[in-house]
Amino acid sequence: MNAGYLSLLLVVVSLILFASGWKDIILRGITPTSLLLFFVSWILASRVSFAWGPVTVNGAIGVLILTGVVTVLRTKGMMLKLHVFSVALLMGSVYFFLRETLHLMPSLIVWNVQATMALFIGIIDAVLLRSAALQLAALAAALLIGEGMYLYAHRDQGELVFGTPSLLDFWWLTAFAARGYSLGLESLLAAGKKTLRLVTDTLRTRKP
């Protein structure tokens, strides 16, 4: 699949899911207005690029920056804000490390390099953050940090593009992975609590 088509496909899938009533399950706590603004901004901005010094920046990067900043500013509690920032730094570092070294470890690659990175980073996001909004904000910051590190490390190897179609594909793929992991973990936790409650009630009823 050509770069750029995956993000477009996942945008369409997201819109279909939200229109079908899955919004409150997949992205609880995010208002429909915020989602609409994000999708409209993404679709329009991703078609625009501009030069910033030696770097060509895709407009979708601006949408990610704005999304992350607004979400963190609305978050209550300085410790939680610092936690989101630390998670973003961790995921950004993992992104840079995997992008630089994963091709040297072919036995770890699942399907392809991009999908493998999305699976690794998505599970970190899901485990360390519970809120859907904070997960997406931290993921946006992580992508900016990791890609910035990568571009700086390879600044002498030709044209620098911040926000390639491949990078945008990766953000959407990782966002889907993170939310999928989160929903799976929540289901396992709910099932565990239900089982524990059932066992406890059964033991109580059997007491003489």
Side-chain angles (χ1 to χ4, degrees):
M1 183 181 294
N2 293 335
Y5 287 127
L6 180 59
S7 59
L8 179 60
L9 175 62
L10 294 179
V11 167
V12 173
V13 170
S14 300
L15 291 173
I16 293 173
L17 288 174
F18 298 152
S20 302
W22 285 80
K23 198 279 293 181
D24 291 331
I25 297 175
I26 300 174
L27 293 176
R28 287 190 299 271
I30 302 179
T31 65
T33 302
S34 299
L35 283 175
L36 180 61
L37 286 173
F38 176 81
F39 280 109
V40 172
S41 300
W42 179 278
I43 292 171
L44 295 177
S46 62
R47 306 301 175 189
V48 179
S49 297
F50 60 92
W52 185 33
V55 183
T56 300
V57 182
N58 185 278
I61 298 299
V63 176
L64 292 180
I65 293 174
L66 185 61
T67 299
V69 170
V70 170
T71 302
V72 171
L73 289 177
R74 289 182 175 181
T75 301
K76 296 180 180 180
M78 182 55 66
M79 292 303 297
L80 183 55
K81 292 179 180 179
L82 291 175
H83 178 61
V84 173
F85 183 67
S86 65
V87 172
L89 281 176
L90 173 62
M91 292 192 297
S93 300
V94 171
Y95 170 89
F96 176 70
F97 173 76
L98 291 177
R99 187 160 183 186
E100 288 287 292
T101 62
L102 193 56
H103 64 280
L104 302 176
M105 301 175 286
S107 60
L108 296 179
I109 297 176
V110 179
W111 188 23
N112 58 38
V113 171
Q114 190 178 60
T116 305
M117 290 172 59
L119 292 175
F120 272 108
I121 296 173
I123 196 168
I124 295 173
D125 201 17
V127 169
L128 297 181
L129 293 169
R130 297 184 63 184
S131 164
L134 293 182
Q135 285 178 354
L136 297 181
L139 182 58
L143 195 65
L144 300 176
I145 293 169
E147 185 68 6
M149 293 168 63
Y150 180 84
L151 290 178
Y152 181 78
H154 297 271
R155 60 190 180 279
D156 298 325
Q157 298 182 9
E159 182 183 5
L160 301 178
V161 180
F162 201 167
T164 61
S166 180
L167 182 68
L168 304 185
D169 286 349
F170 177 77
W171 188 86
W172 278 98
L173 187 61
T174 311
F176 265 69
R179 293 308 302 150
Y181 281 129
S182 289
L183 295 175
L185 290 172
E186 289 173 6
S187 298
L188 286 175
L189 183 60
K193 288 181 177 179
K194 186 176 181 180
T195 302
L196 180 60
R197 190 181 304 115
L198 180 62
V199 171
T200 302
D201 293 341
T202 302
L203 292 176
R204 285 176 180 175
T205 57
R206 290 184 177 180
K207 284 185 178 180

